[in-house]
Amino acid sequence: MSENATILYVDDEELNLTLFQLNFKKRFNVLLAESGLEGLEMLKRNNNIVVVISDMKMPGMNGIEFIKLARKEFPKIRFFLLTGYEINEEIADALNDRLIHKYFRKPFNKSEIEEAILEFL
Amino acid sequence: MGAEKENKGKLPKILSYYDKSDFTTQQKARFIFDLCIAASVGVIILIFSSIYVQLNNVEYDGIFSPVILYEVALLIFFGLCLFILIKGKYGIASHLFMTVAMAGVWCVMWVDGGNVITRLDTIVLIIALLNLTPLFITKYKITILFYILVNVLLLIVFVQIAKDQMSLSDASAVDYIVDTSIAMIFSGIVGYNIFRINKQSLKKVESDNHQLIKTQEALQQSESIRRRVFESSEIPIVVMDSVSFEYIDINAAAVKAYGFLSIEASLGKTPLDVSAPTQYDGTSSSEKAINYIEKALKEGSVVFEWLHLCPDGKLWDAEVHLLSFKSNDKSLLQFSLIDITERKKTEKALKESEEKYRSLMENMNDIVMMVDNDDKVLYVNKRFCEKLGYSESEIIGEIGYKKLLNPIDQEVIIRMNRDRTRDVVSQYEITFIAKNGKKIDFLVSGAPAKSSDGTVIGSIGNMIDITERNKTEKALKESQQLFQTLAQVSPVGIFRTRADGYTTYVNPKWMELAGLTFEDAIGNGWLTAVHPEDKEKLQNNWESHSGKEERSIAEYRFIKPDRSIVWVLGYAVPEIVDDKIQGYIGTITDITERKLAEKELKESEEKYRTLMESMNEVIMMVDNQDRIRYVNKRFTEKLGYLSEEIIGEIGFKFLFDQNELDVINNASQSRGEDLVSQYELSFAAKDGHKISFLVSAAPIANSDGISSGFILAMADITEKKIIEKELEKHRNHLEFLVKERTEELATSNEELLSTNEELHNQREELEAVLKNLKNTQNQLVQSEKMASLGVLAAGVAHEINNPLNFIQGGILGIEQYLNENLKEHKEELEPMINGIQVGVKRAADIVSGLNHYSRKDDTKIINCDIHSIIENCLVILGNQIKGRIIVEKDYTSDYQVLNANEGKLHQAILSILSNAVQAISKEGIIDIKTEVSKKGLTIIILDSGCGISKENIDKIFDPFFTTKEAGEGTGLGLSITYNIIEEHNGTIEVDSEIGKGTKVKIILPLNT
């Protein structure tokens, strides 16, 4: 691998953002956004993002709403959810519609996430 | 030049032919004319003098006719010249004159008979004539040379012929010829050059003159154009005297504008005649006018606006361009007027409109802000300043978004503003930062601001503070979600109506209870499911509660499409918003079973009551305090008390002979020992007479088995007593009678005993029904507990998972860091890290377990094989069973259709089996049995484990109840199992004995 792949992590909790970056910075170039809106801006500004991982419950737009918008503009990116929720109808629909590729549970499992991303790459 | 002009006018009338000739020709013609006259006069004088000389001179003898004739001919020629001249032939006349004059001279010289000198000096006349040539010639200068040549030739000829006659020597002759020729040639040359110079200067003068005339003509023409422009101009123009201020010239447009009748009527007017008394600023027109005029005189020009007044009273506005100029050293003022009445009106309207909008914007509750195309703030209203804390001067001219927005939002707003230059109207939400740092959410409606020609000059935004709204919306959304979830999973039916009773919502449980679809239930459709007999009751209940802020309760029935009847207990509470009832929200609970039980109870009670009432025995019931609870009809008949009088009283105080209190005390005591006792007792009737009863007393136990009183069956033995006494009296005599009576008594006793027994049985039945009812109620309570726990669990789960995520992320990071940088500390820290990781995992597992309560799983219900599910579970538990536990299976082979959620059923069975395995500490047996009956499919799992203590057996289905060591079990397994069985409309029962084992019995309804 010549250079680390760039991924975007969206979560409204700053602690989550910081810790995620700390844990994954070795393997990936991790970009962060605090809201869906900011996530969209980041995507527009950085065309090298290949994977997006988003929290579900966020003020403003939730993870799935954000991914819906983002996916329209960036169909090539692979999207994942990382949430404290058990699977529910909304998440199940998103999985069925192939809006998200997979969903991870909080507390996160580092190797699970890494594998999912590397599999895509 | 002026003189020439004057002379030109004085050309004699006789020469009128030359009026159109050039000036030189005119002068020459005049000269020839004068010369001809003079010559003619001269010749006439000459004729008379000749005649006189000839008559009086002796040399002549009488008149010498050749001379006279010659002179007369000359006169005639001169007259001819004059004639020709008058006729306009100037050239011919002049040459003829010259030729005749010369010929005349030569003839005189030739003919003259005088001496030499007299003859020769006449040549002077020729020279004189030659000098005149420039005056004769008009065009051809060469003619002069011709005259000279001819005369020189004539001279030579004359001298040659006459030299002898005049006795001249050849030399003298030649000398004479040469001298005279030179004189003639010189005069010719002089004449030639005079003519040439004259002609050249003339030409020059003429061309200059021509130029001058042309210039003058042009000047005249431009003057007239100017005048025409002035007169025909649509712009009113006035020329005014700078001293008297009187109008001295005015054009038609000005006359019209001023409203005068004609130009003549307008002249002599002054500005005050056309002005309003005062001007816009209130100063008088005269004062103001003088100011402007002075300014114009000083600076050359001035432009100002002026309020005019027409004679007909009409006011009009004009822009006045006033300028001063000098004409013939006189200072004049000229001004032109531009009617700006319309412009003024428009300006005024514009100003008023602007004023209106400005005050509107200032007083508006919304926030208004305007920026130009470079996002510079052009305008903010008062409300803006109040809301965001900036004063106008602090914000106007700034780049708006830099000052007011999060850097994150800036790009959004820039894009929106760019869009707006393309005429895009947009609405969006954005957060502004007030001066004090507070964040305020706004709903912005942005529109392009356009100039009158339609170009976009900026952007105007109308902003509404939605901070509160956003908060409220969020809260609303959450509460809606909560309600939705609650309603979906609720085991009770939920409905919602408008204030007029129109139903707007029912939940799935409601639909299940009423047997209606959502669409059928909405509106007034739900009434179709209500039992016809209950409709009126419901209606009345509704009316009595409607409009009141209290909850209403009603019991009623639904008839399902399959004709089955469901009893429900309905609660409704009003939804009150702003002190107004917006509608009702309520629940319905299935109480069919309770209703049936109640009915049974009632029927059974009815039965017993009838039985007791119609019995011949006297029956009474007392509680533990001997308070009378019930007496039957026979009692009232026997003792004369009405039941109302006696019920509630302490029985023995009222009824008994006080002497017999000992007996009663004894009886009470024996009754306390829970035995049926029999004794004789004497009662006092209301009227005082005594009745002896044989009392059979039995304790009454309530459903808990606790004694709540006694039932007393009393047989009237007064008669028996009397007989006994009689018997005693006649014992010896009437033995047979005694025997008979005794027999009678025995029968009666027997009857009483059997009645007692029956009563006892009935009571037991009653107890069973009560117990059943109690169980049902307990179940109801349990399931409601689970439902509310589920809602709580879902919320809690998510909130706990997030902090768990922090811990997980943090500890992973720390571990990684240790591995890379502080390997030497790793060993020491390993257990702590481990502890944290185990803690996170355990917490996550519990949270995950909790989620089962909230999970509204819509996974499919399929036909399951219970035996394969059980086998599957045994496989999973294989390594815990192997070698120590014997599993005995007794599976039914009856055909069965079990429609269930396989995954959940699997989870339930696994949980029970796992508990069974764990209950067996060393070796043991697990017995699994299935059977099919009317009730459904029964699964019995029996283990030989440690058993459950009595105090714990009621708690095993409570969430978080566990007897295992901390960390080994979440305490949720059986609780979830309970829920799963409940979901499948099944039942689960647990029986256990410490040390012997536990029996779990599950009954699942089958689909046939």
Side-chain angles (χ1 to χ4, degrees):
Chain A
M1 212 184 302
S2 57
E3 202 179 311
N4 283 346
T6 302
I7 65 174
L8 172 68
Y9 178 52
V10 185
D11 196 309
D12 60 322
E13 296 251 24
E14 211 184 310
L15 260 176
N16 276 338
L17 292 174
T18 315
L19 291 168
F20 189 93
Q21 194 174 39
L22 272 174
N23 278 302
F24 289 96
K25 66 181 176 191
K26 288 252 159 122
R27 308 293 301 267
F28 310 109
N29 175 24
V30 183
L31 298 179
L32 303 174
E34 250 183 295
S35 68
L37 204 65
E38 202 189 325
L40 287 174
E41 292 298 319
M42 290 289 268
L43 284 171
K44 278 171 203 164
R45 248 180 280 149
N46 301 282
N47 52 9
N48 54 345
I49 296 173
V50 289
V51 165
V52 172
I53 298 173
S54 173
D55 187 23
M56 178 69 189
K57 191 180 163 191
M58 289 185 287
M61 56 175 96
N62 75 22
I64 286 182
E65 285 164 348
F66 155 62
I67 289 169
K68 268 184 194 158
L69 288 179
R71 196 174 174 101
K72 245 184 245 167
E73 282 190 58
F74 308 97
K76 285 185 181 167
I77 293 178
R78 187 163 275 198
F79 293 92
F80 296 99
L81 271 184
L82 174 57
T83 172
Y85 279 117
E86 267 285 297
I87 188 162
N88 59 28
E89 232 171 285
E90 199 176 5
I91 297 173
D93 285 349
L95 277 167
N96 288 339
D97 298 346
R98 306 238 182 279
L99 194 63
I100 56 169
H101 193 70
K102 207 167 177 181
Y103 95 100
F104 307 120
R105 288 290 311 276
K106 282 181 184 172
F108 69 89
N109 182 332
K110 192 178 170 188
S111 54
E112 185 191 12
I113 294 175
E114 272 178 5
E115 273 162 32
I117 296 172
L118 291 175
E119 179 207 79
F120 173 56
L121 295 177
Chain B
M1 246 194 209
E4 277 172 10
K5 242 182 191 170
E6 282 159 31
N7 280 354
K8 190 186 159 195
K10 287 179 183 173
L11 197 67
K13 278 225 164 105
I14 206 152
L15 292 175
S16 58
Y17 265 107
Y18 300 96
D19 280 348
K20 280 174 188 156
S21 303
D22 61 64
F23 182 70
T24 316
T25 310
Q26 284 177 1
Q27 294 305 313
K28 282 184 178 172
R30 187 188 166 80
F31 169 71
I32 298 294
F33 179 73
D34 290 347
L35 199 63
C36 282
I37 300 286
S40 300
V41 171
V43 169
I44 289 167
I45 293 168
L46 192 66
I47 290 169
F48 281 111
S49 72
S50 293
I51 291 169
Y52 175 72
V53 168
Q54 282 173 6
L55 286 178
N56 296 315
N57 204 325
V58 279
E59 282 180 38
Y60 299 100
D61 42 330
I63 290 179
F64 185 63
S65 55
V67 171
I68 299 300
L69 280 175
Y70 162 76
E71 283 172 349
V72 169
L74 210 59
L75 185 65
I76 289 164
F77 271 116
F78 286 154
L80 187 67
C81 272
L82 205 56
F83 177 74
I84 293 167
L85 182 72
I86 289 163
K87 283 293 165 199
K89 311 284 187 220
Y90 163 77
I92 295 168
S94 60
H95 283 289
L96 183 66
F97 183 88
M98 184 62 99
T99 312
V100 168
M102 283 184 179
V105 173
W106 284 115
C107 284
V108 169
M109 283 177 65
W110 200 264
V111 177
D112 201 342
N115 57 34
V116 176
I117 295 176
T118 315
R119 286 174 73 180
L120 285 181
D121 65 3
T122 312
I123 201 81
V124 174
L125 287 173
I126 293 294
I127 293 169
L129 280 172
L130 279 174
N131 279 332
L132 285 176
T133 47
L135 292 172
F136 291 180
I137 292 158
T138 50
K139 283 177 191 164
Y140 306 111
K141 292 178 289 224
I142 205 75
T143 324
I144 295 175
L145 299 179
F146 174 72
Y147 277 115
I148 291 167
L149 195 67
V150 169
N151 280 305
V152 170
L153 283 174
L154 282 173
L155 175 68
I156 293 168
V157 172
F158 172 75
V159 172
Q160 285 304 321
I161 294 169
K163 76 177 177 196
D164 295 334
Q165 212 176 33
M166 289 179 285
S167 30
L168 285 171
S169 63
D170 283 349
S172 307
V174 171
D175 184 50
Y176 178 72
I177 289 168
V178 171
D179 288 351
T180 309
S181 296
I182 288 169
M184 281 200 279
I185 289 163
F186 266 107
S187 345
I189 290 167
V190 167
Y192 179 87
N193 279 302
I194 288 172
F195 177 79
R196 194 183 56 84
I197 291 165
N198 229 1
K199 197 161 178 183
Q200 292 297 331
S201 5
L202 194 69
K203 247 187 187 165
K204 177 83 171 69
V205 168
E206 273 184 344
S207 97
D208 284 354
N209 197 23
H210 191 70
Q211 198 68 35
L212 205 69
I213 288 167
K214 255 179 153 173
T215 312
Q216 255 174 342
E217 275 174 0
L219 204 67
Q220 264 173 348
Q221 210 167 15
S222 92
E223 183 79 6
S224 88
I225 287 169
R226 227 160 54 85
R227 187 71 206 169
R228 216 161 50 231
V229 168
F230 172 76
E231 276 164 6
S232 63
S233 169
E234 284 298 323
I235 297 170
I237 304 171
V238 180
V239 179
M240 182 173 80
D241 190 280
S242 66
V243 180
S244 66
F245 302 152
E246 279 179 2
Y247 293 173
I248 52 178
D249 202 351
I250 186 165
N251 69 353
V255 172
K256 198 177 152 203
Y258 284 144
F260 292 137
L261 294 172
S262 64
I263 292 178
E264 290 70 30
S266 317
L267 295 176
K269 301 275 187 194
T270 69
L272 289 183
D273 296 324
V274 297
S275 303
T278 55
Q279 286 305 311
Y280 305 111
D281 58 358
T283 49
S284 75
S285 290
S286 56
E287 193 185 323
K288 199 111 183 154
I290 287 165
N291 280 345
Y292 283 129
I293 288 167
E294 275 173 2
K295 199 173 172 204
L297 288 172
K298 209 167 120 193
E299 295 172 10
S301 70
V302 59
V303 178
F304 55 90
E305 287 177 4
W306 195 253
L307 182 60
H308 288 80
L309 176 67
C310 284
D312 61 7
K314 192 185 94 183
L315 285 166
W316 62 287
D317 305 279
E319 188 177 277
V320 181
H321 293 251
L322 177 64
L323 53 98
S324 66
F325 66 97
K326 283 207 194 285
S327 174
N328 297 335
D329 288 340
K330 207 174 161 194
S331 192
L332 292 175
L333 290 159
Q334 180 199 306
F335 55 88
S336 51
L337 305 166
I338 299 164
D339 188 344
I340 53 161
T341 311
E342 281 308 313
R343 197 177 85 192
K344 272 278 180 189
K345 252 190 223 166
T346 317
E347 269 175 14
K348 201 179 157 201
L350 203 66
K351 209 173 152 192
E352 279 171 6
S353 141
E354 204 208 314
E355 201 65 40
K356 198 165 74 190
Y357 284 119
R358 182 173 287 273
S359 97
L360 189 72
M361 285 203 183
E362 287 302 326
N363 295 319
M364 234 162 106
N365 213 22
D366 288 0
I367 290 165
V368 179
M369 171 176 187
M370 200 170 150
V371 297
D372 66 11
N373 287 335
D374 301 320
D375 295 310
K376 212 173 266 174
V377 177
L378 294 175
Y379 170 78
V380 294
N381 70 352
K382 211 165 83 194
R383 197 84 184 101
F384 179 98
C385 299
E386 288 168 15
K387 258 289 182 215
L388 288 155
Y390 288 105
S391 72
E392 259 186 55
S393 56
E394 279 174 315
I395 194 74
I396 285 176
E398 297 288 333
I399 302 296
Y401 59 79
K402 282 199 180 155
K403 199 140 192 181
L404 298 167
L405 288 175
N406 262 336
I408 299 168
D409 291 340
Q410 282 183 11
E411 286 193 33
V412 180
I413 204 90
I414 292 171
R415 203 178 58 233
M416 294 291 184
N417 283 348
R418 291 280 168 279
D419 282 354
R420 220 153 291 141
T421 59
R422 296 200 302 271
D423 214 356
V424 176
V425 176
S426 51
Q427 209 177 49
Y428 47 93
E429 289 182 13
I430 205 143
T431 307
F432 275 62
I433 301 170
K435 197 181 176 186
N436 60 12
K438 199 179 136 200
K439 287 182 179 181
I440 305 172
D441 293 338
F442 284 112
L443 175 67
V444 181
S445 304
K450 290 185 193 171
S451 68
S452 54
D453 61 359
T455 51
V456 177
I457 54 165
S459 162
I460 187 159
N462 178 14
M463 315 192 292
I464 301 166
D465 183 353
I466 50 162
T467 314
E468 281 307 311
R469 201 190 76 187
N470 277 353
K471 270 190 206 160
T472 318
E473 265 178 10
K474 201 179 154 195
L476 192 69
K477 207 174 157 191
E478 278 172 9
S479 111
Q480 270 175 345
Q481 214 160 22
L482 183 68
F483 172 77
Q484 200 71 23
T485 319
L486 264 174
Q488 289 297 328
V489 303
S490 173
V492 298
I494 296 175
F495 64 89
R496 193 177 188 180
T497 74
R498 296 198 309 231
D500 58 3
Y502 186 94
T503 300
T504 55
Y505 173 80
V506 293
N507 75 340
K509 184 69 184 175
W510 192 99
M511 295 185 261
E512 185 195 319
L513 289 176
L516 288 178
T517 63
F518 188 82
E519 287 72 25
D520 289 342
I522 290 308
N524 292 320
W526 65 280
L527 268 170
T528 57
V530 175
H531 195 287
E533 287 171 24
D534 291 341
K535 273 185 184 164
E536 199 181 338
K537 189 175 81 185
L538 258 182
Q539 193 68 29
N540 292 340
N541 189 52
W542 167 265
E543 274 163 15
S544 69
H545 281 92
S546 117
K548 290 181 193 163
E549 294 180 9
E550 58 185 30
R551 75 174 191 171
S552 64
I553 304 170
E555 286 184 4
Y556 51 95
R557 284 163 286 180
F558 281 127
I559 301 185
K560 286 196 177 184
D562 62 4
R563 307 306 298 164
S564 64
I565 285 175
V566 177
W567 270 97
V568 293
L569 172 64
Y571 287 97
V573 287
E575 269 189 274
I576 296 166
V577 179
D578 299 335
D579 290 336
K580 264 182 79 183
I581 294 176
Q582 298 294 319
Y584 296 89
I585 189 155
T587 60
I588 55 171
T589 315
D590 185 352
I591 52 161
T592 312
E593 273 181 50
R594 198 189 82 194
K595 268 287 170 184
L596 288 176
E598 270 178 12
K599 198 181 158 202
E600 259 172 58
L601 199 68
K602 208 173 154 193
E603 275 168 8
S604 133
E605 202 207 321
E606 199 66 39
K607 201 161 76 189
Y608 292 121
R609 185 175 290 275
T610 319
L611 190 72
M612 286 196 193
E613 289 294 324
S614 56
M615 251 163 83
N616 216 19
E617 301 297 324
V618 174
I619 308 279
M620 88 186 263
M621 275 165 85
V622 296
D623 63 16
N624 288 334
Q625 281 76 46
D626 281 321
R627 208 171 266 123
I628 296 170
R629 286 278 162 237
Y630 171 76
V631 293
N632 72 349
K633 206 169 119 200
R634 197 86 184 101
F635 181 100
T636 56
E637 285 167 10
K638 274 274 186 209
L639 289 154
Y641 289 104
L642 294 173
S643 58
E644 297 92 276
E645 288 173 328
I646 196 77
I647 284 175
E649 297 298 334
I650 303 294
F652 59 80
K653 284 189 182 160
F654 229 78
L655 297 166
F656 302 143
D657 192 329
Q658 296 302 309
N659 300 330
E660 294 189 62
L661 279 178
D662 285 349
V663 185
I664 297 162
N665 285 342
N666 284 340
S668 293
Q669 215 155 8
S670 64
R671 278 187 328 213
E673 284 158 14
D674 205 6
L675 295 167
V676 178
S677 53
Q678 242 180 31
Y679 45 90
E680 284 180 17
L681 204 56
S682 183
F683 278 65
K686 200 181 179 185
D687 57 11
H689 83 265
K690 284 186 181 170
I691 304 167
S692 293
F693 286 110
L694 173 67
V695 180
S696 298
I700 308 170
N702 63 14
S703 53
D704 300 330
I706 297 159
S707 163
S708 64
F710 298 90
I711 186 161
L712 311 172
M714 309 188 295
D716 185 351
I717 51 165
T718 315
E719 222 168 302
K720 194 187 98 183
K721 282 274 177 187
I722 293 166
I723 290 165
E724 265 179 8
K725 272 176 194 165
E726 265 178 44
L727 198 65
E728 226 170 54
K729 264 186 209 165
H730 311 289
R731 192 165 35 192
N732 299 321
H733 311 290
L734 294 162
E735 206 167 305
F736 77 99
L737 192 67
V738 172
K739 200 179 173 185
E740 198 183 76
R741 294 286 176 189
T742 313
E743 268 171 15
E744 223 173 89
L745 198 66
T747 321
S748 171
N749 250 345
E750 219 166 274
E751 256 173 47
L752 194 63
L753 279 173
S754 75
T755 310
N756 256 346
E757 201 178 324
E758 202 178 320
L759 215 57
H760 194 72
N761 288 342
Q762 282 162 358
R763 203 196 62 206
E764 266 179 5
E765 217 171 297
L766 212 62
E767 276 168 16
V769 169
L770 275 174
K771 198 179 168 194
N772 198 359
L773 194 65
K774 201 190 143 204
N775 280 344
T776 315
Q777 270 173 337
N778 283 346
Q779 268 174 25
L780 203 66
V781 168
Q782 180 73 6
S783 62
E784 270 187 274
K785 206 156 76 181
M786 288 299 161
S788 54
L789 181 75
V791 175
L792 181 72
V796 168
H798 175 260
E799 290 316 311
I800 290 177
N801 274 339
N802 254 317
L804 284 179
N805 199 46
F806 304 160
I807 302 173
Q808 175 84 346
I811 198 65
L812 276 176
I814 291 170
E815 200 180 15
Q816 197 174 316
Y817 184 82
L818 281 178
N819 282 339
E820 285 161 13
N821 302 306
L822 294 162
K823 269 217 163 124
E824 66 273 23
H825 291 285
K826 207 194 160 194
E827 204 177 328
E828 218 167 320
L829 290 169
E830 190 83 65
M832 303 178 208
I833 291 170
N834 244 354
I836 294 171
Q837 278 170 339
V838 169
V840 170
K841 184 166 187 309
R842 196 180 295 170
D845 284 346
I846 291 177
V847 168
S848 174
L850 277 177
N851 269 316
H852 287 283
Y853 294 99
S854 65
R855 198 187 280 180
K856 191 197 149 274
D857 236 307
D858 43 4
T859 33
K860 282 158 261 144
I861 301 289
I862 53 161
N863 187 359
C864 308
D865 178 7
I866 191 70
H867 300 133
S868 75
I869 290 173
I870 296 169
E871 286 301 318
N872 210 333
C873 292
L874 290 171
V875 169
I876 291 172
L877 296 167
N879 61 344
Q880 295 179 47
I881 293 170
K882 217 156 95 188
R884 65 180 188 109
I885 295 166
I886 301 161
V887 180
E888 286 180 354
K889 299 167 204 166
D890 179 8
Y891 293 160
T892 177
S893 54
D894 291 350
Y895 174 77
Q896 26 141 338
V897 181
L898 175 65
N899 286 340
N901 181 330
E902 189 166 22
K904 285 193 165 188
L905 218 51
H906 191 275
Q907 190 184 358
I909 303 284
L910 183 67
S911 180
I912 293 163
L913 282 172
S914 163
N915 275 318
V917 168
Q918 281 164 19
I920 299 166
S921 58
K922 284 174 185 164
E923 292 185 344
I925 299 168
I926 292 177
D927 193 3
I928 304 168
K929 192 178 170 188
T930 61
E931 58 188 37
V932 175
S933 69
K934 271 186 198 166
K935 288 183 190 167
L937 174 71
T938 307
I939 306 149
I940 295 167
I941 296 168
L942 195 68
D943 69 68
S944 61
C946 58
I948 305 162
S949 71
K950 263 198 183 140
E951 61 262 35
N952 284 343
I953 199 138
D954 288 338
K955 299 181 202 156
I956 55 167
F957 292 132
D958 287 353
F960 300 114
F961 176 79
T962 179
T963 56
K964 292 172 194 161
E965 304 240 322
E968 280 179 23
T970 57
L972 293 171
L974 280 179
S975 174
I976 292 166
T977 301
Y978 180 90
N979 273 6
I980 292 170
I981 301 300
E982 185 91 326
E983 266 171 43
H984 287 82
N985 297 320
T987 58
I988 179 165
E989 281 170 31
V990 180
D991 256 329
S992 186
E993 204 172 319
I994 285 282
K996 285 201 168 172
T998 305
K999 177 181 159 190
V1000 179
K1001 184 176 169 190
I1002 297 168
I1003 301 175
L1004 290 169
L1006 284 174
N1007 304 75
T1008 44

